[in-house]
Amino acid sequence: MTVSVDKMLAEAARASGEEMCPHRLVLEHVTSRWGVLVLLHLLDRPHRFSELRRAIGRVSEKMLTQTLQTLERDGLVHRDAKPVIPPRVDYSLTDLGREAAEQVRGLAEWTTRRMEAVQEAREVYDTRKRGSERQ
């Protein structure tokens, strides 16, 4: 069953909280600052926590842990804890996570292709804004 974007947005506008608007929460999780990077890195291959943290860079241990737990709860990330010493935990994408990560990758590729146009738009905006502030 396909949910229309209009229906999803209408639900989001009427409600707040997980019970009332699960679509919005999933979008927030997938498109969050760290969620995007986790999904993109796990798209290549499974990672251990420390590998993932190094690959992403500038993310605190706490924030990465919270992001992984959130994505795991949403069914996007699989956590595989092996009973060895020292403990080994690998993170990988589920089928659902791979599907989401492919969508995120498309958006990331678009930003790479269109960054010059975005930068030009920002410059036009900033110039116009400075001009209106002087008046």
Side-chain angles (χ1 to χ4, degrees), residues 103-129:
Q103 299 299 315
V104 169
R105 180 167 52 188
L107 183 57
E109 290 170 348
W110 176 86
T111 60
T112 300
R113 285 191 315 271
R114 301 299 290 161
M115 196 60 217
E116 188 175 320
V118 170
Q119 192 58 41
E120 289 171 9
R122 287 176 176 173
E123 290 169 8
V124 167
Y125 175 89
D126 291 345
T127 300
R128 191 173 59 236
K129 186 84 169 159

PDB file of all heavy atoms in Angstrom, residues 103-129:
ATOM      1  N   GLN A 103      17.877   5.732  -0.807  1.00  0.00           N
ATOM      2  CA  GLN A 103      17.170   7.003  -0.999  1.00  0.00           C
ATOM      3  C   GLN A 103      18.012   8.168  -0.488  1.00  0.00           C
ATOM      4  O   GLN A 103      18.115   9.211  -1.144  1.00  0.00           O
ATOM      5  CB  GLN A 103      15.815   6.983  -0.279  1.00  0.00           C
ATOM      6  CG  GLN A 103      14.860   5.927  -0.768  1.00  0.00           C
ATOM      7  CD  GLN A 103      14.501   6.095  -2.225  1.00  0.00           C
ATOM      8  OE1 GLN A 103      14.223   7.192  -2.683  1.00  0.00           O
ATOM      9  NE2 GLN A 103      14.518   5.003  -2.976  1.00  0.00           N
ATOM     10  N   VAL A 104      18.623   7.986   0.667  1.00  0.00           N
ATOM     11  CA  VAL A 104      19.478   9.025   1.245  1.00  0.00           C
ATOM     12  C   VAL A 104      20.678   9.276   0.336  1.00  0.00           C
ATOM     13  O   VAL A 104      21.084  10.426   0.116  1.00  0.00           O
ATOM     14  CB  VAL A 104      19.935   8.626   2.673  1.00  0.00           C
ATOM     15  CG1 VAL A 104      21.022   9.542   3.185  1.00  0.00           C
ATOM     16  CG2 VAL A 104      18.742   8.624   3.620  1.00  0.00           C
ATOM     17  N   ARG A 105      21.236   8.210  -0.221  1.00  0.00           N
ATOM     18  CA  ARG A 105      22.374   8.370  -1.128  1.00  0.00           C
ATOM     19  C   ARG A 105      21.981   9.196  -2.345  1.00  0.00           C
ATOM     20  O   ARG A 105      22.732  10.049  -2.809  1.00  0.00           O
ATOM     21  CB  ARG A 105      22.943   7.028  -1.565  1.00  0.00           C
ATOM     22  CG  ARG A 105      24.133   7.234  -2.516  1.00  0.00           C
ATOM     23  CD  ARG A 105      24.957   6.019  -2.781  1.00  0.00           C
ATOM     24  NE  ARG A 105      24.204   4.864  -3.212  1.00  0.00           N
ATOM     25  CZ  ARG A 105      24.745   3.657  -3.349  1.00  0.00           C
ATOM     26  NH1 ARG A 105      26.021   3.464  -3.095  1.00  0.00           N
ATOM     27  NH2 ARG A 105      24.014   2.636  -3.726  1.00  0.00           N
ATOM     28  N   GLY A 106      20.782   8.959  -2.868  1.00  0.00           N
ATOM     29  CA  GLY A 106      20.299   9.753  -3.987  1.00  0.00           C
ATOM     30  C   GLY A 106      20.250  11.236  -3.653  1.00  0.00           C
ATOM     31  O   GLY A 106      20.655  12.082  -4.451  1.00  0.00           O
ATOM     32  N   LEU A 107      19.780  11.562  -2.466  1.00  0.00           N
ATOM     33  CA  LEU A 107      19.734  12.954  -2.031  1.00  0.00           C
ATOM     34  C   LEU A 107      21.145  13.516  -1.851  1.00  0.00           C
ATOM     35  O   LEU A 107      21.430  14.640  -2.259  1.00  0.00           O
ATOM     36  CB  LEU A 107      18.938  13.077  -0.730  1.00  0.00           C
ATOM     37  CG  LEU A 107      18.744  14.480  -0.191  1.00  0.00           C
ATOM     38  CD1 LEU A 107      18.053  15.389  -1.208  1.00  0.00           C
ATOM     39  CD2 LEU A 107      17.945  14.426   1.111  1.00  0.00           C
ATOM     40  N   ALA A 108      22.041  12.721  -1.283  1.00  0.00           N
ATOM     41  CA  ALA A 108      23.427  13.155  -1.098  1.00  0.00           C
ATOM     42  C   ALA A 108      24.103  13.405  -2.447  1.00  0.00           C
ATOM     43  O   ALA A 108      24.839  14.392  -2.617  1.00  0.00           O
ATOM     44  CB  ALA A 108      24.204  12.110  -0.294  1.00  0.00           C
ATOM     45  N   GLU A 109      23.840  12.541  -3.406  1.00  0.00           N
ATOM     46  CA  GLU A 109      24.411  12.727  -4.743  1.00  0.00           C
ATOM     47  C   GLU A 109      23.841  13.971  -5.407  1.00  0.00           C
ATOM     48  O   GLU A 109      24.552  14.707  -6.087  1.00  0.00           O
ATOM     49  CB  GLU A 109      24.164  11.480  -5.604  1.00  0.00           C
ATOM     50  CG  GLU A 109      24.991  10.293  -5.154  1.00  0.00           C
ATOM     51  CD  GLU A 109      24.597   8.986  -5.824  1.00  0.00           C
ATOM     52  OE1 GLU A 109      23.520   8.930  -6.490  1.00  0.00           O
ATOM     53  OE2 GLU A 109      25.345   8.014  -5.676  1.00  0.00           O
ATOM     54  N   TRP A 110      22.554  14.217  -5.194  1.00  0.00           N
ATOM     55  CA  TRP A 110      21.938  15.428  -5.738  1.00  0.00           C
ATOM     56  C   TRP A 110      22.609  16.669  -5.166  1.00  0.00           C
ATOM     57  O   TRP A 110      22.887  17.618  -5.901  1.00  0.00           O
ATOM     58  CB  TRP A 110      20.439  15.437  -5.444  1.00  0.00           C
ATOM     59  CG  TRP A 110      19.772  16.706  -5.890  1.00  0.00           C
ATOM     60  CD1 TRP A 110      19.283  16.969  -7.130  1.00  0.00           C
ATOM     61  CD2 TRP A 110      19.546  17.874  -5.109  1.00  0.00           C
ATOM     62  NE1 TRP A 110      18.760  18.248  -7.168  1.00  0.00           N
ATOM     63  CE2 TRP A 110      18.915  18.819  -5.936  1.00  0.00           C
ATOM     64  CE3 TRP A 110      19.811  18.214  -3.784  1.00  0.00           C
ATOM     65  CZ2 TRP A 110      18.545  20.087  -5.486  1.00  0.00           C
ATOM     66  CZ3 TRP A 110      19.451  19.474  -3.334  1.00  0.00           C
ATOM     67  CH2 TRP A 110      18.829  20.395  -4.183  1.00  0.00           C
ATOM     68  N   THR A 111      22.858  16.682  -3.840  1.00  0.00           N
ATOM     69  CA  THR A 111      23.498  17.862  -3.246  1.00  0.00           C
ATOM     70  C   THR A 111      24.892  18.071  -3.822  1.00  0.00           C
ATOM     71  O   THR A 111      25.305  19.212  -4.031  1.00  0.00           O
ATOM     72  CB  THR A 111      23.579  17.778  -1.703  1.00  0.00           C
ATOM     73  OG1 THR A 111      24.336  16.636  -1.325  1.00  0.00           O
ATOM     74  CG2 THR A 111      22.204  17.731  -1.078  1.00  0.00           C
ATOM     75  N   THR A 112      25.589  17.006  -4.093  1.00  0.00           N
ATOM     76  CA  THR A 112      26.916  17.132  -4.701  1.00  0.00           C
ATOM     77  C   THR A 112      26.802  17.744  -6.100  1.00  0.00           C
ATOM     78  O   THR A 112      27.549  18.657  -6.450  1.00  0.00           O
ATOM     79  CB  THR A 112      27.607  15.754  -4.780  1.00  0.00           C
ATOM     80  OG1 THR A 112      27.747  15.237  -3.454  1.00  0.00           O
ATOM     81  CG2 THR A 112      28.967  15.849  -5.434  1.00  0.00           C
ATOM     82  N   ARG A 113      25.852  17.246  -6.886  1.00  0.00           N
ATOM     83  CA  ARG A 113      25.671  17.757  -8.250  1.00  0.00           C
ATOM     84  C   ARG A 113      25.189  19.198  -8.272  1.00  0.00           C
ATOM     85  O   ARG A 113      25.557  19.960  -9.151  1.00  0.00           O
ATOM     86  CB  ARG A 113      24.649  16.899  -9.015  1.00  0.00           C
ATOM     87  CG  ARG A 113      25.144  15.567  -9.476  1.00  0.00           C
ATOM     88  CD  ARG A 113      24.163  14.903 -10.451  1.00  0.00           C
ATOM     89  NE  ARG A 113      22.771  14.964 -10.052  1.00  0.00           N
ATOM     90  CZ  ARG A 113      22.147  14.061  -9.287  1.00  0.00           C
ATOM     91  NH1 ARG A 113      22.813  13.020  -8.825  1.00  0.00           N
ATOM     92  NH2 ARG A 113      20.878  14.194  -8.988  1.00  0.00           N
ATOM     93  N   ARG A 114      24.347  19.587  -7.320  1.00  0.00           N
ATOM     94  CA  ARG A 114      23.679  20.878  -7.372  1.00  0.00           C
ATOM     95  C   ARG A 114      24.220  21.912  -6.384  1.00  0.00           C
ATOM     96  O   ARG A 114      23.669  23.002  -6.253  1.00  0.00           O
ATOM     97  CB  ARG A 114      22.181  20.685  -7.140  1.00  0.00           C
ATOM     98  CG  ARG A 114      21.529  19.752  -8.164  1.00  0.00           C
ATOM     99  CD  ARG A 114      21.639  20.256  -9.585  1.00  0.00           C
ATOM    100  NE  ARG A 114      20.784  21.423  -9.709  1.00  0.00           N
ATOM    101  CZ  ARG A 114      20.871  22.337 -10.665  1.00  0.00           C
ATOM    102  NH1 ARG A 114      21.775  22.219 -11.597  1.00  0.00           N
ATOM    103  NH2 ARG A 114      20.055  23.359 -10.679  1.00  0.00           N
ATOM    104  N   MET A 115      25.337  21.605  -5.720  1.00  0.00           N
ATOM    105  CA  MET A 115      25.867  22.511  -4.709  1.00  0.00           C
ATOM    106  C   MET A 115      26.209  23.884  -5.273  1.00  0.00           C
ATOM    107  O   MET A 115      25.999  24.903  -4.619  1.00  0.00           O
ATOM    108  CB  MET A 115      27.097  21.882  -4.032  1.00  0.00           C
ATOM    109  CG  MET A 115      27.478  22.562  -2.743  1.00  0.00           C
ATOM    110  SD  MET A 115      26.127  22.483  -1.562  1.00  0.00           S
ATOM    111  CE  MET A 115      26.280  24.071  -0.794  1.00  0.00           C
ATOM    112  N   GLU A 116      26.720  23.923  -6.489  1.00  0.00           N
ATOM    113  CA  GLU A 116      27.067  25.212  -7.086  1.00  0.00           C
ATOM    114  C   GLU A 116      25.821  26.097  -7.224  1.00  0.00           C
ATOM    115  O   GLU A 116      25.860  27.290  -6.910  1.00  0.00           O
ATOM    116  CB  GLU A 116      27.727  25.003  -8.453  1.00  0.00           C
ATOM    117  CG  GLU A 116      28.291  26.272  -9.048  1.00  0.00           C
ATOM    118  CD  GLU A 116      29.034  26.005 -10.350  1.00  0.00           C
ATOM    119  OE1 GLU A 116      29.750  24.985 -10.444  1.00  0.00           O
ATOM    120  OE2 GLU A 116      28.882  26.831 -11.262  1.00  0.00           O
ATOM    121  N   ALA A 117      24.717  25.520  -7.663  1.00  0.00           N
ATOM    122  CA  ALA A 117      23.473  26.279  -7.800  1.00  0.00           C
ATOM    123  C   ALA A 117      22.957  26.737  -6.441  1.00  0.00           C
ATOM    124  O   ALA A 117      22.450  27.859  -6.295  1.00  0.00           O
ATOM    125  CB  ALA A 117      22.414  25.443  -8.520  1.00  0.00           C
ATOM    126  N   VAL A 118      23.103  25.896  -5.436  1.00  0.00           N
ATOM    127  CA  VAL A 118      22.689  26.269  -4.084  1.00  0.00           C
ATOM    128  C   VAL A 118      23.537  27.437  -3.588  1.00  0.00           C
ATOM    129  O   VAL A 118      23.017  28.403  -3.028  1.00  0.00           O
ATOM    130  CB  VAL A 118      22.784  25.061  -3.124  1.00  0.00           C
ATOM    131  CG1 VAL A 118      22.601  25.493  -1.680  1.00  0.00           C
ATOM    132  CG2 VAL A 118      21.771  23.990  -3.506  1.00  0.00           C
ATOM    133  N   GLN A 119      24.832  27.351  -3.804  1.00  0.00           N
ATOM    134  CA  GLN A 119      25.733  28.423  -3.375  1.00  0.00           C
ATOM    135  C   GLN A 119      25.393  29.743  -4.072  1.00  0.00           C
ATOM    136  O   GLN A 119      25.378  30.796  -3.440  1.00  0.00           O
ATOM    137  CB  GLN A 119      27.195  28.038  -3.637  1.00  0.00           C
ATOM    138  CG  GLN A 119      28.193  28.961  -2.976  1.00  0.00           C
ATOM    139  CD  GLN A 119      28.018  29.037  -1.467  1.00  0.00           C
ATOM    140  OE1 GLN A 119      27.780  28.040  -0.791  1.00  0.00           O
ATOM    141  NE2 GLN A 119      28.097  30.238  -0.929  1.00  0.00           N
ATOM    142  N   GLU A 120      25.108  29.678  -5.361  1.00  0.00           N
ATOM    143  CA  GLU A 120      24.710  30.886  -6.095  1.00  0.00           C
ATOM    144  C   GLU A 120      23.422  31.470  -5.522  1.00  0.00           C
ATOM    145  O   GLU A 120      23.302  32.690  -5.350  1.00  0.00           O
ATOM    146  CB  GLU A 120      24.529  30.571  -7.580  1.00  0.00           C
ATOM    147  CG  GLU A 120      25.828  30.307  -8.306  1.00  0.00           C
ATOM    148  CD  GLU A 120      25.616  29.793  -9.732  1.00  0.00           C
ATOM    149  OE1 GLU A 120      24.457  29.792 -10.222  1.00  0.00           O
ATOM    150  OE2 GLU A 120      26.622  29.391 -10.348  1.00  0.00           O
ATOM    151  N   ALA A 121      22.466  30.618  -5.212  1.00  0.00           N
ATOM    152  CA  ALA A 121      21.200  31.076  -4.627  1.00  0.00           C
ATOM    153  C   ALA A 121      21.441  31.730  -3.276  1.00  0.00           C
ATOM    154  O   ALA A 121      20.833  32.760  -2.956  1.00  0.00           O
ATOM    155  CB  ALA A 121      20.223  29.908  -4.505  1.00  0.00           C
ATOM    156  N   ARG A 122      22.322  31.177  -2.479  1.00  0.00           N
ATOM    157  CA  ARG A 122      22.650  31.764  -1.183  1.00  0.00           C
ATOM    158  C   ARG A 122      23.258  33.149  -1.340  1.00  0.00           C
ATOM    159  O   ARG A 122      22.929  34.076  -0.589  1.00  0.00           O
ATOM    160  CB  ARG A 122      23.632  30.860  -0.423  1.00  0.00           C
ATOM    161  CG  ARG A 122      23.011  29.602   0.107  1.00  0.00           C
ATOM    162  CD  ARG A 122      24.055  28.725   0.751  1.00  0.00           C
ATOM    163  NE  ARG A 122      23.463  27.545   1.344  1.00  0.00           N
ATOM    164  CZ  ARG A 122      24.165  26.539   1.856  1.00  0.00           C
ATOM    165  NH1 ARG A 122      25.489  26.584   1.827  1.00  0.00           N
ATOM    166  NH2 ARG A 122      23.554  25.502   2.381  1.00  0.00           N
ATOM    167  N   GLU A 123      24.163  33.280  -2.316  1.00  0.00           N
ATOM    168  CA  GLU A 123      24.806  34.572  -2.549  1.00  0.00           C
ATOM    169  C   GLU A 123      23.785  35.622  -2.986  1.00  0.00           C
ATOM    170  O   GLU A 123      23.812  36.757  -2.515  1.00  0.00           O
ATOM    171  CB  GLU A 123      25.927  34.425  -3.568  1.00  0.00           C
ATOM    172  CG  GLU A 123      27.122  33.656  -3.025  1.00  0.00           C
ATOM    173  CD  GLU A 123      28.137  33.269  -4.088  1.00  0.00           C
ATOM    174  OE1 GLU A 123      28.009  33.729  -5.249  1.00  0.00           O
ATOM    175  OE2 GLU A 123      29.052  32.494  -3.757  1.00  0.00           O
ATOM    176  N   VAL A 124      22.868  35.247  -3.870  1.00  0.00           N
ATOM    177  CA  VAL A 124      21.817  36.168  -4.311  1.00  0.00           C
ATOM    178  C   VAL A 124      20.956  36.573  -3.113  1.00  0.00           C
ATOM    179  O   VAL A 124      20.660  37.753  -2.911  1.00  0.00           O
ATOM    180  CB  VAL A 124      20.952  35.517  -5.421  1.00  0.00           C
ATOM    181  CG1 VAL A 124      19.679  36.314  -5.675  1.00  0.00           C
ATOM    182  CG2 VAL A 124      21.760  35.360  -6.692  1.00  0.00           C
ATOM    183  N   TYR A 125      20.571  35.617  -2.315  1.00  0.00           N
ATOM    184  CA  TYR A 125      19.754  35.887  -1.129  1.00  0.00           C
ATOM    185  C   TYR A 125      20.486  36.822  -0.181  1.00  0.00           C
ATOM    186  O   TYR A 125      19.920  37.814   0.292  1.00  0.00           O
ATOM    187  CB  TYR A 125      19.400  34.577  -0.420  1.00  0.00           C
ATOM    188  CG  TYR A 125      18.668  34.779   0.878  1.00  0.00           C
ATOM    189  CD1 TYR A 125      17.284  34.871   0.912  1.00  0.00           C
ATOM    190  CD2 TYR A 125      19.355  34.889   2.087  1.00  0.00           C
ATOM    191  CE1 TYR A 125      16.600  35.069   2.094  1.00  0.00           C
ATOM    192  CE2 TYR A 125      18.690  35.100   3.281  1.00  0.00           C
ATOM    193  CZ  TYR A 125      17.310  35.182   3.279  1.00  0.00           C
ATOM    194  OH  TYR A 125      16.643  35.387   4.461  1.00  0.00           O
ATOM    195  N   ASP A 126      21.756  36.488   0.147  1.00  0.00           N
ATOM    196  CA  ASP A 126      22.527  37.302   1.091  1.00  0.00           C
ATOM    197  C   ASP A 126      22.692  38.732   0.588  1.00  0.00           C
ATOM    198  O   ASP A 126      22.575  39.689   1.364  1.00  0.00           O
ATOM    199  CB  ASP A 126      23.898  36.670   1.350  1.00  0.00           C
ATOM    200  CG  ASP A 126      23.794  35.366   2.125  1.00  0.00           C
ATOM    201  OD1 ASP A 126      22.717  35.081   2.704  1.00  0.00           O
ATOM    202  OD2 ASP A 126      24.802  34.614   2.150  1.00  0.00           O
ATOM    203  N   THR A 127      22.941  38.900  -0.696  1.00  0.00           N
ATOM    204  CA  THR A 127      23.087  40.235  -1.285  1.00  0.00           C
ATOM    205  C   THR A 127      21.773  41.003  -1.170  1.00  0.00           C
ATOM    206  O   THR A 127      21.756  42.172  -0.769  1.00  0.00           O
ATOM    207  CB  THR A 127      23.528  40.127  -2.762  1.00  0.00           C
ATOM    208  OG1 THR A 127      24.778  39.444  -2.811  1.00  0.00           O
ATOM    209  CG2 THR A 127      23.662  41.496  -3.399  1.00  0.00           C
ATOM    210  N   ARG A 128      20.674  40.347  -1.511  1.00  0.00           N
ATOM    211  CA  ARG A 128      19.355  40.974  -1.424  1.00  0.00           C
ATOM    212  C   ARG A 128      19.021  41.332   0.026  1.00  0.00           C
ATOM    213  O   ARG A 128      18.517  42.417   0.308  1.00  0.00           O
ATOM    214  CB  ARG A 128      18.308  40.036  -2.019  1.00  0.00           C
ATOM    215  CG  ARG A 128      16.959  40.677  -2.234  1.00  0.00           C
ATOM    216  CD  ARG A 128      15.984  39.772  -2.981  1.00  0.00           C
ATOM    217  NE  ARG A 128      15.774  38.518  -2.257  1.00  0.00           N
ATOM    218  CZ  ARG A 128      15.982  37.313  -2.771  1.00  0.00           C
ATOM    219  NH1 ARG A 128      16.414  37.162  -4.001  1.00  0.00           N
ATOM    220  NH2 ARG A 128      15.760  36.229  -2.056  1.00  0.00           N
ATOM    221  N   LYS A 129      19.348  40.442   0.936  1.00  0.00           N
ATOM    222  CA  LYS A 129      19.057  40.660   2.362  1.00  0.00           C
ATOM    223  C   LYS A 129      19.842  41.849   2.900  1.00  0.00           C
ATOM    224  O   LYS A 129      19.307  42.684   3.623  1.00  0.00           O
ATOM    225  CB  LYS A 129      19.396  39.380   3.144  1.00  0.00           C
ATOM    226  CG  LYS A 129      19.023  39.406   4.579  1.00  0.00           C
ATOM    227  CD  LYS A 129      17.595  39.028   4.752  1.00  0.00           C
ATOM    228  CE  LYS A 129      17.334  38.794   6.223  1.00  0.00           C
ATOM    229  NZ  LYS A 129      15.930  38.899   6.519  1.00  0.00           N
TER     230      LYS A 129
END
